[in-house]
């Protein structure tokens, strides 16, 4: 079995910049710089045959390159507490269309449909009971950060969960068609 997800990697310069944000919140597990990414579609554990079918389906997908806008901080809650700290990604049509194409390709392969709404984000940290004033100060201090990222491909990642941070490996990269 192999744990897979489809994502968009971030350029090293942006990862470095976001990596430098990683301070000021006790009880936060910051995403290591090399792991910062946007998840288009989480797949989970599949067998090798399914993984091959997923790859074939993604390789056939056609979608245009676009520019992605990132910025604004927010949190996802778990049990009424903030557990995920993220940098926002604009829900722009080209991104949503790409994720919809990925979704239909995966459903055609036989994977169960994703029922959760697509909320594009870059996870900066996972938190456990963070002190709220510190969290709010972090958000206030980084909310105005924004950047534009050219997206010319998307990637099938494997995720190896071990004792420490997960190890993501780009298993295949799929080019988007040139902007017209
Ligand atoms: P860990 O689980 O150890 O915290 P992780 O969440 O980064 O590490 P994975 O669980 O393999 O590693 O997830 C890979 C990517 O898919 C991450 O961006 C994660 O947020 C996202 N993801 C994981 N599970 C889901 C899910 N059920 N729905 C949507 N996205 C998910
Ligand atoms: Mg996880």
């Amino acid at each position: 079995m192999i744990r897979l997800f489809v994502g968009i990697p971030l350029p090293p310069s942006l990862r470095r910049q976001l990596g430098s944000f990683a301070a000021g919140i006790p009880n936060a597990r910051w995403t290591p710089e090399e792991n910062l990414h946007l998840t288009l579609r989480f797949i989970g554990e599949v067998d090798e045959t399914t993984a091959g079918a997923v790859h074939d389906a993604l390789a056939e997908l056609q979608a245009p390159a676009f520019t992605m806008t990132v910025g604004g901080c927010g949190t996802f809650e778990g049990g009424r507490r903030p557990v995920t700290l993220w940098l926002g990604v604009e829900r722009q049509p080209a991104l949503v269309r790409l994720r919809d194409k990925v979704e239909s390709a995966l459903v055609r392969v036989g994977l169960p449909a994703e029922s959760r709404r697509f909320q594009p984000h870059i996870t900066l940290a996972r938190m456990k009971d963070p002190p709220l004033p510190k969290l709010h100060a972090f958000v206030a201090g980084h909310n105005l950060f924004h950047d534009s990222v050219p997206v010319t491909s998307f990637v099938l990642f494997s995720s190896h969960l071990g004792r420490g941070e997960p190890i993501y490996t780009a298993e295949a990269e799929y080019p988007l068609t040139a902007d017209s």
Side-chain angles (χ1 to χ4, degrees):
M1 299 290 272
I2 181 168
R3 185 180 181 92
L4 296 175
F5 68 96
V6 181
I8 296 177
L10 304 180
S13 55
L14 176 58
R15 282 191 276 117
R16 267 197 299 279
Q17 212 160 2
L18 299 181
S20 75
F21 290 4
I25 307 177
N27 306 334
R29 179 160 67 83
W30 296 94
T31 305
E33 215 172 280
E34 67 271 17
N35 279 2
L36 289 162
H37 68 280
L38 167 75
T39 298
L40 280 175
R41 170 54 144 97
F42 180 70
I43 296 175
E45 309 274 343
V46 295
D47 61 33
E48 297 294 331
T49 310
T50 307
V54 163
H55 169 64
D56 292 345
L58 294 177
E60 276 177 25
L61 192 159
Q62 298 248 14
F66 61 98
T67 300
M68 174 166 99
T69 307
V70 305
C73 298
T75 58
F76 291 142
E77 323 292 313
R80 300 243 200 96
R81 300 227 162 103
V83 291
T84 304
L85 173 65
W86 45 257
L87 183 74
V89 176
E90 194 189 336
R91 243 181 145 277
Q92 64 190 93
L95 173 63
V96 174
R97 277 198 292 271
L98 173 59
R99 113 88 220 202
D100 287 348
K101 284 181 178 182
V102 168
E103 175 65 17
S104 21
L106 297 180
V107 167
R108 275 198 301 276
V109 163
L111 295 177
E114 172 59 83
S115 54
R116 304 211 272 181
R117 177 185 153 85
F118 179 47
Q119 293 183 275
H121 66 278
I122 296 160
T123 296
L124 298 176
R126 313 291 174 88
M127 304 172 294
K128 204 179 158 208
D129 262 325
L132 295 184
K134 302 262 190 204
L135 174 59
H136 296 152
F138 179 94
V139 171
H142 297 89
N143 224 4
L144 291 180
F145 173 83
H146 68 274
D147 199 9
S148 293
V149 181
V151 181
T152 56
S153 66
F154 65 99
V155 167
L156 178 62
F157 286 101
S158 64
S159 169
H160 185 80
L161 304 181
R163 284 216 230 151
E165 296 298 338
I167 296 166
Y168 302 149
T169 306
E171 299 290 341
E173 180 171 6
Y174 312 97
L176 297 170
T177 53
D179 256 329
S180 51

